[in-house]
């Protein structure tokens, strides 16, 4: 739903007050064109806003949405690939989608301000939705996802029931999604029932012919301010990395202790340009709470007097990625120096050095591609960046991180120079 906010305020059916339904991808399997949380709006006259698959299933989703608006009830639709029926609705890529369709209720009216802000060019503020997908329905709008505490939320208690065990389980699963700016499915055991083999006392004592209680199913989607990329080193490689980082959606800061280097016009495209000793700047940003576990640090200064204190600070923080430029000889010297300064050997395993994937990169632009490729690989891989190869040399799903765990039906050349 959140992906539609920038356009919703100017969409004619919404502005004119037509009834609408929202269709959201809540489960995926195999290779799919769009991620969890992608939504499409359907008006009562059949107009649409957004897309779920690029055209493979939209027609069927529109029909289901119109039916949902007629009977007023939500529904879950599944789409896959059918080799037997060439005319069946499905995904030609072979993946599977589960789409939840919900007629819009008054509970979503508080999102109108977000649409207006986006239409007026304002930066979108942090926002999250917690939607209940099973029969009870309902939604909680969270305006501060990072600081949200499930156990203290009266709205969440009303959504899932105020049983302490249910709220505790919700907190354990919902809060990491909110604080990470991610989307995901959450399944909670109803307090009066059983799930995954655990049986409550109330359920044990209930008559055997009583229907099994169903789990509470929530879908969480969270939007946070852009994650930060901190680039240290005002040089050719830093200049090439700035737009590459912004292309990935990062808020990019360039930092260099040398004013004559940092204040060149070619770095003006950075979101921020800072003239400060790198390790001091990073320490101050951490103390001020302006970096988080999504922050990436790219050290391109290639100078021990900057690199070593900066690496000590960076490796002591909970960051998504820390990479440092240099030859393999420089890397060995850097590791020895950090060990002598007391950096634990285990901590050094987090350091990406020499920085970047082995792509044969030579020019600054090519090195920028190598670095951003490693950042993407490191944040999305279950096997480490060394497992990445060309798609033509691999088999299996293209989107390797997407699997049945997201399904409602399942249980839960500088860089390589020696």
């Amino acid at each position: 739903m959140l992906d539609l906010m920038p356009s919703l305020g100017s969409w004619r059916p919404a502005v004119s007050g037509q009834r609408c339904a929202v269709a959201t991808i809540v489960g995926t399997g195999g290779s799919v064109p769009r991620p969890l949380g992608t939504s499409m709006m359907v008006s009562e006259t059949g107009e649409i806003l957004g897309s779920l698959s690029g055209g493979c299933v939209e027609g069927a989703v529109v029909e289901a949405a119109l039916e949902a608006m007629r009977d007023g009830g939500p529904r879950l639709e599944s789409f896959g690939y059918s080799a037997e029926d060439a005319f069946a609705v499905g995904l030609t890529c072979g993946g599977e989608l589960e789409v939840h369709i919900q007629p819009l209720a008054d509970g979503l009216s508080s999102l109108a301000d977000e649409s207006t802000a986006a239409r007026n060019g304002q930066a979108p503020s942090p926002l999250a939705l917690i939607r209940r997908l099973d029969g009870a329905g309902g939604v909680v709008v969270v305006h501060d996802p990072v600081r949200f505490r499930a156990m203290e939320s009266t709205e969440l208690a009303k959504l899932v029931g105020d049983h302490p065990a249910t709220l505790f389980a919700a907190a354990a699963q919902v809060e990491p999604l909110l604080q990470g700016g991610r989307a995901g499915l959450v399944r909670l055991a109803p307090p009066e029932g059983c799930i995954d083999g655990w049986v409550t006392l109330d359920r044990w004592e209930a008559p055997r012919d009583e229907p099994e209680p169903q789990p509470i199913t929530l879908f969480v989607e969270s939007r946070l301010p852009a994650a930060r990329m901190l680039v240290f080193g005002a040089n050719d490689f830093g200049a090439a990395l700035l737009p590459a980082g912004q292309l990935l959606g990062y808020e990019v800061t360039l930092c260099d202790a040398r004013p004559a280097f940092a204040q060149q016009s070619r770095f003006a495209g950075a979101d921020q340009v800072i003239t400060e000793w790198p390790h001091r700047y990073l320490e101050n940003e951490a103390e001020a709470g302006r970096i988080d576990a999504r922050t990436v640090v790219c050290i391109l200064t290639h100078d021990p007097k900057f690199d070593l204190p900066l690496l000590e600070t960076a490796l002591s923080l909970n960051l998504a990625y820390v990479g440092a430029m240099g030859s393999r000889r420089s890397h060995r010297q850097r590791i020895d120096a950090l060990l002598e300064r007391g950096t634990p050997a285990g901590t050094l395993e987090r350091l990406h050095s020499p920085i970047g994937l082995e792509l044969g990169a030579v020019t600054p632009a090519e090195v920028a591609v190598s670095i951003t490729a490693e950042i993407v690989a490191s944040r999305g891989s279950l096997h480490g960046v060394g497992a990445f190869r060309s798609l033509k040399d691999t088999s299996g799903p293209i989107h390797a991180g997407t699997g049945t765990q997201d399904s409602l039906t399942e249980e839960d050349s500088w860089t390589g120079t020696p």
Side-chain angles (χ1 to χ4, degrees):
M1 180 70 182
L2 296 180
D3 59 319
L4 299 179
M5 287 300 103
S7 304
L8 190 57
S10 58
W11 189 47
R12 190 187 64 80
V15 174
S16 62
Q18 290 187 34
R19 290 186 303 137
C20 301
V22 61
T24 304
I25 297 176
V26 297
T28 62
S31 297
V32 294
R34 301 297 303 278
L36 285 174
T38 302
S39 294
M40 183 176 81
M41 197 79 73
V42 181
S43 77
E44 61 182 303
T45 59
E47 295 182 66
I48 65 173
L49 175 67
S51 174
L52 300 182
S53 69
C56 298
V57 304
E58 274 73 4
V61 170
V62 169
E63 290 300 320
L66 293 173
E67 186 177 343
M69 281 184 275
R70 284 193 293 268
D71 62 30
R75 63 200 62 226
L76 182 70
E77 301 286 342
S78 297
F79 302 97
Y81 174 73
S82 174
E84 292 77 21
D85 186 355
F87 296 99
V89 176
L91 300 174
T92 57
C93 57
E96 299 176 351
L97 287 180
E98 287 179 331
V99 178
H100 182 262
I101 300 171
Q102 173 71 57
L104 286 185
D106 293 339
L108 293 178
S109 60
S110 59
L111 296 179
D113 292 340
E114 294 295 322
S115 304
T116 302
R119 190 171 70 253
N120 292 337
Q122 302 174 23
S125 59
L127 189 68
L129 297 178
I130 306 171
R131 283 190 273 167
R132 183 162 176 172
L133 303 187
D134 56 283
V139 62
V140 173
V141 180
V142 180
H143 292 283
D144 191 350
V146 172
R147 294 180 177 82
F148 180 82
R149 296 296 176 264
M151 297 295 290
E152 301 171 4
S153 171
T154 57
E155 293 86 356
L156 185 62
K158 183 178 179 181
L159 186 70
V160 303
D162 59 0
H163 193 284
T166 306
L167 282 174
F168 184 80
Q173 299 184 65
V174 169
E175 290 180 10
L177 292 171
L178 295 178
Q179 295 165 8
R182 295 179 287 128
L185 198 66
V186 172
R187 301 176 76 222
L188 306 171
E192 73 281 5
C194 61
I195 190 171
D196 295 337
W198 292 93
V199 183
T200 66
L201 181 60
D202 290 343
R203 181 59 192 163
W204 180 262
E205 296 176 345
R208 291 296 177 260
D209 58 350
E210 184 176 307
E212 290 285 342
Q214 296 301 307
I216 297 168
T217 304
L218 305 177
F219 187 74
V220 180
E221 49 184 326
S222 176
R223 179 184 70 200
L224 299 180
R228 297 188 66 187
M229 172 184 282
L230 307 182
V231 178
F232 295 95
N235 52 36
D236 291 343
F237 297 99
L241 186 56
L242 298 182
Q246 291 170 330
L247 186 63
L248 292 181
Y250 287 102
E251 178 185 319
V252 181
T253 297
L254 177 80
C255 177
D256 198 296
R258 302 159 293 188
F261 286 66
Q263 293 172 6
Q264 299 176 66
S265 60
R266 60 178 174 159
F267 302 121
D271 295 293
Q272 290 179 302
V273 177
I274 304 296
T275 304
E276 175 65 277
W277 273 81
H279 71 285
R280 293 175 187 163
Y281 173 70
L282 184 58
E283 290 170 354
N284 293 337
E285 291 299 285
E287 291 175 2
R290 288 190 288 266
I291 63 174
D292 56 30
R294 303 174 299 146
T295 302
V296 303
V297 167
C298 301
I299 302 171
L300 312 180
T301 44
H302 202 241
D303 186 331
K305 70 175 179 290
F306 296 126
D307 294 355
L308 293 178
L310 177 56
L311 281 169
E312 284 185 297
T313 301
L315 292 172
S316 70
L317 299 172
N318 181 24
L319 303 175
Y321 174 92
V322 179
M325 175 172 280
S327 67
R328 298 197 185 278
R329 179 189 301 173
S330 297
H331 169 69
R332 291 191 292 269
Q333 294 172 342
R334 184 185 291 142
I335 293 297
D336 291 341
L338 288 170
L339 289 172
E340 290 178 4
R341 295 164 72 110
T343 302
T347 301
L348 293 173
E349 294 296 321
R350 296 173 46 219
L351 174 60
H352 296 265
S353 174
I355 196 170
L357 289 187
E358 178 54 80
L359 304 180
V362 177
T363 67
E366 292 169 346
V367 171
V369 172
S370 172
I371 294 171
T372 52
E374 185 176 48
I375 291 171
V376 172
S378 65
R379 74 187 185 192
S381 173
L382 300 178
H383 311 289
V385 296
F388 281 83
R389 295 177 290 157
S390 296
L391 286 173
K392 73 179 184 67
D393 296 325
T394 62
S395 60
I398 292 177
H399 306 288
T402 301
T404 56
Q405 69 271 18
D406 294 324
S407 173
L408 279 170
T409 60
E410 295 290 334
E411 302 294 336
D412 278 66
S413 179
W414 186 303
T415 58
T417 302

